[in-house]
Amino acid sequence: MERLVGKARLRLVQGDITDQDVDAIVNAANPSLMGGGGVDGAIHRRGGPKILEECRKIRSEEWPDGLPTGKAVITSGGNLKARYVIHTVGPIWRGGKVGEPKLLAEAYRNSLELALRSGLKRVSFPSISTGAYGYPIEEAARIALRTVKEFLEERDLIEEVNFVLFTEADFKVYLQAMAEIFEHK
Ligand code: ADP
């Protein structure tokens, strides 16, 4: 499924984000930036040790206490097809009343800002926070798609944003959210 937002393509695909041949893939990291399970583990496994080395440097030089929720940093893509990895930290779901929606939107927005500042045009996201961090995916999908759509409406240098959903069930949830946002607003 693909929609145009201004001149940019916003696309949903089912698959493994580590296969993406784009300027940058986004990692749903944790504050340590030292890898983990889920998509984070997959990216470090396929990307190789260079990514972790760069994450260590970012930790020691910029974020000694860890990357705060909602912020984003960039490393090279190591052995991945993607040239860069943007690491962001989504919120842990705690019931929705301690700012989770705002923090999730910030993770998407700050990732796109960083891509833009780095001159990157094609970016792929996973479904941030909806795995180990427990964010209900229907709600997360709406926030993800709305935030990216608004960003693309305001800025026209990013040409393509893909959401890469790992499972068919997740893909269907995003399809439904996309239909709601684009067809009924
Ligand atoms: P978080 O801690 O932010 O919840 P997870 O990695 O646990 O991050 O889960 C986020 C989403 O990433 C989940 O929907 C999960 O199914 C998905 N995921 C896991 N591996 C991959 C992959 N290789 N490519 C794309 N998405 C993936």
Side-chain angles (χ1 to χ4, degrees), residues 15-18 28 37-40 42 126-134 164 166 170:
D16 183 334
I17 199 167
T18 64
V39 71
D40 194 2
S127 179
I128 296 169
S129 283
T130 65
Y133 278 7
V164 182
F166 202 44
D170 290 356

Side-chain angles (χ1 to χ4, degrees), residues 100-148:
E100 295 94 329
K102 185 166 169 276
L103 288 167
L104 185 61
E106 270 176 31
Y108 282 101
R109 209 176 298 118
N110 284 325
S111 296
L112 289 171
E113 288 278 3
L114 186 50
L116 193 66
R117 257 189 286 136
S118 308
L120 309 181
K121 296 180 185 307
R122 300 171 63 226
V123 181
S124 293
F125 283 99
S127 179
I128 296 169
S129 283
T130 65
Y133 278 7
Y135 209 119
I137 191 165
E138 285 80 7
E139 213 180 311
R142 285 195 288 268
I143 291 168
L145 291 167
R146 278 218 183 89
T147 304
V148 171

